[in-house]
Amino acid sequence: MSHIAIIGECMIELNGAPFGTMQQTYGGDTLNAAVYLNRSATSHSSSTNTPRIRTSYITALGADSISQEMLKRWQDEGLSTDLVLIDEQRSPGLYLIQLDDVGERTFLYWRNDSAARYMVQHPGFDKITAQLCDVDMVFLSGISLAILPHSDQLKLLTIIQGLRERGVTIAFDSNYRPKLWDSEDAIKETYQLAYQATDITLVTFDDEQLLWQDTHPQDTIKRLHALGVKTIVVKLGPEGCLISENPENEPVKIKTTPVETVVDSTSAGDSFNGGFLSCYLAGGSIEEACHQGNALARLVIQHHGAIIPKSITDTLSN
């Protein structure tokens, strides 16, 4: 069984109409990916109760009742929560989603003093670092880094680089969110370090174009290979994705089937990541992993919420 550890932040989610009916749930880019990864691994296993992959989530929560309920729900999803830290002084962050008529979303966040922001400073984090030497893969995102104080960003990236040198595969999704950063220079410096410690990137071309002014996905691929990234997946939305495992060869286009109506694009990239990583860790090729990621994302964006009901994602295995 492969073992992946996913580092990041999960927040309390409120979604609905402003000053109208709101629904409370939870979500966060890497947590969403972890859930979809585990569902996909379970649905494609020989036994519906035994996933092919162990998925551990690494974050910090509070000691409050909402944090405890979130932890229970992750366990119900089959995630391993042994590496979740409890911060007695802080609580989870909060975000609100507003959707327009075509499924595009606007976010408002309250997270500056969240438990996850200070997880690297938690007394138990060094113990977690030691345990990561035994996993097969570590996955994190640009948001996993962006929420941290700068010194903690550097500490985490040093840890990640050390794990890579020990043979742990590192996967990274840039998931660029400008409002989380102090300056463009700070973003670029941190991302450069992240890419240099990365084996597999799962980036979105719109993000790379916005930050690096890439004019074509092949510009992104060339830049990432030059930084030492071995396997590159550039997500292109309804056009599928472009993959490259060798800078000497032409990138390969993996097409997808666009949906007629996008209900909610909140977790499109996260569900792609979950489906991709599930297939890849189970021994699938990069092409097969992209097809699985595309299929899962296509299903997710036709329903409301960052994490859609399991009964819906289970249909992919039928």
Side-chain angles (χ1 to χ4, degrees):
M1 177 185 291
S2 297
H3 186 188
I4 181 172
I6 298 180
I7 303 173
E9 170 196 39
C10 185
M11 307 175 72
I12 302 165
E13 174 190 308
L14 295 177
N15 64 71
F19 304 106
T21 301
M22 303 295 293
Q23 179 182 5
Q24 177 186 307
T25 180
Y26 60 88
D29 66 330
T30 54
L31 188 281
N32 302 340
V35 168
Y36 287 121
L37 189 163
N38 204 64
R39 288 184 184 181
S40 184
T42 302
S43 64
H44 289 88
S45 64
S46 57
S47 168
T48 56
N49 295 318
T50 307
R52 303 169 296 176
I53 299 160
R54 179 183 174 192
T55 307
S56 294
Y57 195 61
I58 299 174
T59 192
L61 293 175
D64 54 276
S65 59
I66 294 179
S67 292
Q68 293 306 305
E69 181 61 27
M70 288 166 64
L71 198 64
K72 181 180 181 300
R73 293 195 182 192
W74 302 351
Q75 292 166 348
D76 290 344
E77 286 282 357
L79 300 182
S80 174
T81 59
D82 295 348
L83 304 182
V84 174
L85 297 164
I86 302 300
D87 186 330
E88 299 285 346
Q89 306 302 318
R90 298 181 175 90
S91 301
L94 170 71
Y95 71 101
L96 184 149
I97 301 176
Q98 296 177 348
L99 291 172
D100 63 20
D101 293 337
V102 296
E104 287 301 321
R105 71 276 195 219
T106 301
F107 293 91
L108 295 174
Y109 293 94
W110 296 266
R111 71 191 338 158
N112 286 342
D113 197 41
S114 70
R117 174 171 167 78
Y118 296 97
M119 64 176 154
V120 175
Q121 299 178 25
H122 192 286
F125 194 79
D126 288 342
K127 183 178 179 180
I128 287 177
T129 298
Q131 292 177 276
L132 290 180
C133 296
D134 297 324
V135 306
D136 298 292
M137 178 183 286
V138 170
F139 173 65
L140 71 162
S141 76
I143 294 177
S144 305
L145 294 169
I147 64 167
L148 303 176
H150 182 61
S151 60
D152 291 354
Q153 293 171 0
L154 297 179
K155 179 178 178 179
L156 180 57
L157 288 172
T158 299
I159 292 168
I160 293 300
Q161 180 64 57
L163 291 170
R164 188 191 192 196
E165 292 170 358
R166 287 174 171 265
V168 177
T169 299
I170 306 300
F172 178 68
D173 178 356
S174 60
N175 214 356
Y176 172 45
R177 297 294 182 267
K179 291 183 179 179
L180 293 179
W181 297 88
D182 293 333
S183 70
E184 190 172 290
D185 287 342
I187 303 168
K188 289 184 174 180
E189 176 189 357
T190 304
Y191 277 20
Q192 292 268 23
L193 292 173
Y195 288 133
Q196 289 168 4
T198 295
D199 297 292
I200 302 173
T201 56
L202 301 163
V203 301
T204 300
F205 180 62
D206 287 347
D207 289 348
E208 301 302 295
Q209 188 176 42
L210 182 61
L211 179 59
W212 303 97
Q213 290 77 55
D214 294 345
T215 58
H216 191 277
Q218 292 194 12
D219 298 334
T220 300
I221 289 171
K222 182 178 179 180
R223 174 170 48 79
L224 295 179
H225 273 314
L227 290 169
V229 181
K230 300 173 183 176
T231 301
I232 300 166
V233 178
V234 182
K235 292 173 279 188
L236 305 172
E239 296 181 25
C241 56
L242 203 63
I243 61 176
S244 177
E245 297 182 86
N246 187 333
E248 302 300 322
N249 298 335
E250 283 295 312
V252 176
K253 179 73 172 291
I254 305 295
K255 296 182 179 180
T256 189
T257 304
V259 302
E260 291 186 4
T261 303
V262 175
V263 174
D264 184 351
S265 61
T266 299
S267 205
D270 306 337
S271 54
F272 175 93
N273 292 346
F276 175 96
L277 293 169
S278 171
C279 182
Y280 181 82
L281 286 165
S285 68
I286 297 298
E287 290 87 348
E288 291 169 333
C290 286
H291 283 301
Q292 183 163 301
N294 282 334
L296 186 52
R298 189 167 59 246
L299 180 66
V300 167
I301 63 176
Q302 296 180 71
H303 299 84
H304 287 291
I307 299 175
I308 66 175
K310 189 174 184 297
S311 58
I312 299 173
T313 53
D314 281 349
T315 63
L316 279 178
S317 62
N318 297 332

